[in-house]
Amino acid sequence: MKLNNIELNFDNFSTEMAKLKNEKHFDYLVTIVGEDFGEEGLGCIYILENTVTHERISVRCLAKQVDGESVIPTTLNLWKAADLMEREAYDFLGILFIGHPDMRRLFLRNDFKGFPLRKDYDMSPENNKFPETDEPETDSTVEYSIDKYGKLVATPHRLFEEDDYVVNIGPNHPSTHGVLRLQTVLNGELVKHIYPHLGYIHRGIEKMCENFTYPQTLALTDRLNYLSAMMHRHALVGVIEEGMGIELSDRIKYIRTIMDELQRLDSHLLYCGCTAQDLGALTAFLYCMRDREHVLNVMEETTGGRLIQNYYRIGGLQDDIDPNFVKNTKELCKYMRPIIQEYLDVFGDNVITHNRLEGIGPMGLEDCINYAVTGPAGRAAGWHNDTRKNHPYDMYDKVEWQEITMTGCDSMDRYYCHIKEMYQSLDIIEQLIDNIPEGDYYIKQKPIIKVPEGQWYCSVEGASGEFGVYLDSKGDKSPYRVKLRPMGLTLTGALDKMLQGQKIADLITTGAAIDFVIPDIDR
């Protein structure tokens, strides 16, 4: 998708964005891209989708200077997904969102100096020494507004009441699936609020991309989410290929689609196993890990990797498929189709599982769209959000398969959605595996790859939601700005809404059911 931005300014931004949401039904906030536009100053690009027509548009607003600060009105009153997205833009670029009630850093330490995604940020080692002290804690945040004199006013807000009981789930907790800290406010056993603290494994990948050539950036995507490595790299090579106008062969498209679905099987198997393990059911975990090995064996013969695949490249594939790939993939499909029922027999249809998952972490269709809860977690509420259907790429519109949606709006249906999607992945693979056409597996590119000047956004359906890549190119061999739309950021942002009034034990269940992977969030 090449971006043709609607240009707004500070004064008309709130009014026009409200019209897009309420009158033109752009009810899904896909992502917010904070960017340093050089001489134009700081600003944000908002990518929006109409969930009825699936039309997408982009809006750009440059920040206004008020008392030496760059400010933009918040969109949190329109889209709840804007909460963590705007905090991320503040964290890395220093843009203050007027009216946002929680302008704290999200990924970086509270005492971090500067804003690293600004082009004038000092990258010298002396300026980037990691502190040897504990991070200072704060029980308050701040909301910014502009008074009648045009001055910036900071209003502090307390995060906790005097009698609030606050516990930390994580960052070192096995059920957070990585180093995620959820500051949880309790009333007895019931959850009042959840404040996520991110960035414990933040690696500055978006900043690194600015100093890498385009081929060098590819190595970073596999390390974002080792369970969606193929899909993550697919989005990055896809946006570069679109910008360069590269036409791929059908052989490349067939193989990429098959590999994406094998990766989805890999991820969903681990999901089903870890959901069981988080609730104390070890047998189901061992069953899923046993069968996941078969999937990884098939992929490894061609890619040479198990977690870090390193297979897609700009213009095609790193190498052709292994001579035994077709045979082994067909054997895998034949093995997997009946075996999925075993996961339900030992865990999914257990009465204890139903008691632990049904009605837990509820979130209806309207809220899922508002909070941008994509992937199986949103489809469990009936939201038809599958990128493979709404914005088809490669062979997804050439094969027969069903988008799985359910109506339970709870953790039980999120689990079942993953189970049913595995059957759909097998259907897609089986339709393609015997029909891979002859042709080039790589379209040769120039030694130095440059993308023409422009802005593009490309998204794919990752294992747990939409993963997208925004690219701003100035025509150089390195990108001017790369923004990764993680699958798990909005899922984490929805936990507070899902869990208010639920028991603290339900936090573990809900976290397992929505399927986030922390390196994907932290980047």
Side-chain angles (χ1 to χ4, degrees):
M1 165 186 172
K2 184 171 174 57
L3 301 190
N4 295 301
N5 299 320
I6 299 171
E7 296 286 347
L8 301 179
N9 58 47
F10 182 90
D11 296 324
N12 68 357
F13 178 76
S14 296
T15 303
E16 294 301 318
M17 291 296 269
K19 288 180 181 179
L20 290 173
K21 165 79 182 295
N22 301 321
E23 297 178 13
K24 298 187 178 180
H25 200 67
F26 284 97
D27 50 345
Y28 168 32
L29 174 60
V30 180
T31 191
I32 298 175
V33 182
E35 186 169 353
D36 183 344
F37 293 104
E39 293 181 358
E40 292 182 284
L42 304 178
C44 288
I45 292 177
Y46 299 73
I47 298 178
L48 310 174
E49 178 177 318
N50 180 319
T51 56
V52 175
T53 64
H54 306 302
E55 177 191 359
R56 286 190 167 177
I57 61 170
S58 59
V59 177
R60 189 177 83 140
C61 179
L62 293 175
K64 180 181 179 180
Q65 291 297 309
V66 178
D67 293 342
E69 300 286 351
S70 299
V71 300
I72 294 177
T74 185
T75 56
L76 184 57
N77 57 319
L78 299 173
W79 298 279
K80 295 298 184 183
D83 183 8
L84 299 189
M85 293 181 186
E86 290 182 349
R87 284 182 61 189
E88 179 184 343
Y90 163 68
D91 199 0
F92 294 124
L93 287 150
I95 299 172
L96 298 178
F97 291 88
I98 302 300
H100 192 296
D102 190 0
M103 277 283 94
R104 288 179 296 158
R105 288 194 182 272
L106 181 62
F107 293 93
L108 304 176
R109 287 172 52 119
N110 294 327
D111 55 353
F112 189 91
K113 303 298 182 184
F115 303 100
L117 286 184
R118 291 186 179 183
K119 295 300 181 181
D120 60 357
Y121 179 73
D122 182 4
M123 293 289 291
S124 65
E126 294 75 18
N127 191 52
N128 284 274
K129 290 182 179 179
F130 192 81
E132 297 178 357
T133 58
D134 291 337
E135 180 179 3
E137 288 288 341
T138 176
D139 289 345
S140 65
T141 184
V142 64
E143 177 180 348
Y144 291 92
S145 59
I146 298 177
D147 65 16
K148 61 181 179 180
Y149 303 108
K151 297 294 185 180
L152 197 63
V153 178
T155 305
H157 293 303
R158 288 180 59 86
L159 295 172
F160 313 113
E161 304 292 338
E162 288 290 342
D163 57 348
D164 278 344
Y165 187 73
V166 183
V167 298
N168 286 301
I169 306 296
N172 297 309
H173 192 292
S175 71
T176 59
H177 297 213
V179 276
L180 169 68
R181 176 185 170 204
L182 299 173
Q183 204 169 22
T184 307
V185 185
L186 297 175
N187 179 15
E189 274 193 85
L190 303 182
V191 175
K192 284 179 64 178
H193 289 293
I194 292 177
Y195 297 107
H197 292 255
L198 310 176
Y200 284 91
I201 51 171
H202 174 66
R203 292 152 289 168
I205 285 178
E206 293 178 6
K207 186 67 174 180
M208 291 166 67
C209 286
E210 296 177 9
N211 299 302
F212 283 7
T213 64
Y214 284 100
Q216 287 174 328
T217 63
L218 304 186
L220 303 175
T221 54
D222 295 55
R223 293 156 177 83
L224 283 168
N225 182 344
Y226 32 81
L227 301 175
S228 290
M230 291 290 190
M231 293 86 107
H232 278 31
R233 186 176 287 214
H234 200 155
L236 182 55
V237 297
V239 77
I240 296 170
E241 288 163 353
E242 182 180 356
M244 296 176 67
I246 298 172
E247 291 292 332
L248 302 177
S249 68
D250 285 344
R251 184 175 184 84
I252 295 169
K253 294 178 182 179
Y254 269 72
I255 295 172
R256 281 186 179 179
T257 306
I258 293 169
M259 285 294 188
D260 278 12
E261 294 311 306
L262 288 172
Q263 186 82 81
R264 197 177 315 279
L265 283 172
D266 160 30
S267 180
H268 282 14
L269 284 169
L270 189 70
Y271 165 88
C272 292
C274 287
T275 301
Q277 187 185 40
D278 284 352
L279 301 185
L282 184 60
T283 303
F285 174 78
L286 296 175
Y287 278 35
C288 292
M289 293 301 287
R290 171 199 67 191
D291 298 331
R292 181 171 173 264
E293 288 298 303
H294 297 312
V295 179
L296 294 177
N297 287 341
V298 171
M299 298 172 72
E300 183 184 20
E301 284 184 329
T302 291
T303 69
R306 297 178 74 80
L307 284 180
I308 311 301
Q309 300 294 344
N310 293 328
Y311 188 51
Y312 300 162
R313 61 193 291 197
I314 300 166
L317 310 169
Q318 192 69 29
D319 202 349
D320 208 349
I321 53 176
D322 185 83
N324 296 319
F325 179 77
V326 172
K327 176 178 71 71
N328 292 337
T329 302
K330 291 166 69 174
E331 290 176 355
L332 172 70
C333 293
K334 185 178 179 181
Y335 169 79
M336 284 296 304
R337 194 170 288 280
I339 211 75
I340 296 172
Q341 182 61 39
E342 283 194 9
Y343 315 142
L344 297 177
D345 293 341
V346 300
F347 175 76
D349 285 336
N350 187 296
V351 63
I352 300 173
T353 303
H354 282 272
N355 288 337
R356 288 296 307 273
L357 292 174
E358 286 181 357
I360 301 304
M363 179 167 276
L365 172 60
E366 185 176 341
D367 278 334
C368 279
I369 296 173
N370 204 2
Y371 283 83
V373 178
T374 61
R379 291 193 284 276
W383 181 15
H384 293 269
N385 62 42
D386 199 311
T387 310
R388 297 171 294 174
K389 285 287 189 184
N390 298 340
H391 308 281
Y393 51 97
D394 286 352
M395 302 307 298
Y396 285 111
D397 56 346
K398 307 293 193 302
V399 292
E400 296 293 329
W401 63 283
Q402 296 179 355
E403 179 184 9
I404 302 299
T405 57
M406 309 189 78
T407 57
C409 309
D410 61 3
S411 294
M412 190 77 251
D413 270 10
R414 291 168 194 143
Y415 174 83
Y416 279 145
C417 197
H418 283 81
I419 290 286
K420 293 183 178 182
E421 284 192 0
M422 286 196 280
Y423 288 114
Q424 297 304 313
S425 291
L426 293 174
D427 287 347
I428 293 170
I429 293 169
E430 287 175 339
Q431 291 177 66
L432 297 174
I433 194 64
D434 276 330
N435 301 301
I436 300 175
E438 296 296 324
D440 295 328
Y441 67 84
Y442 174 64
I443 309 301
K444 189 174 182 180
Q445 304 300 313
K446 294 180 179 179
I448 297 179
I449 292 176
K450 294 184 178 181
V451 177
E453 189 169 347
Q455 298 169 332
W456 292 268
Y457 177 78
C458 177
S459 61
V460 300
E461 185 64 26
S464 51
E466 176 176 344
F467 177 80
V469 179
Y470 162 85
L471 170 64
D472 187 353
S473 172
K474 301 300 183 185
D476 301 323
K477 62 181 181 179
S478 298
Y480 181 79
R481 173 79 166 102
V482 168
K483 170 69 171 72
L484 306 170
R485 188 239 185 248
M487 301 178 292
L489 182 64
T490 50
L491 301 180
T492 307
L495 281 175
D496 181 56
K497 173 71 173 178
M498 288 180 180
L499 287 164
Q500 287 180 13
Q502 302 263 297
K503 292 184 177 180
I504 188 171
D506 298 333
L507 186 156
I508 306 301
T509 303
T510 305
I514 63 173
D515 191 19
F516 47 63
V517 176
I518 307 307
D520 162 68
I521 301 173
D522 281 0
R523 288 157 287 152

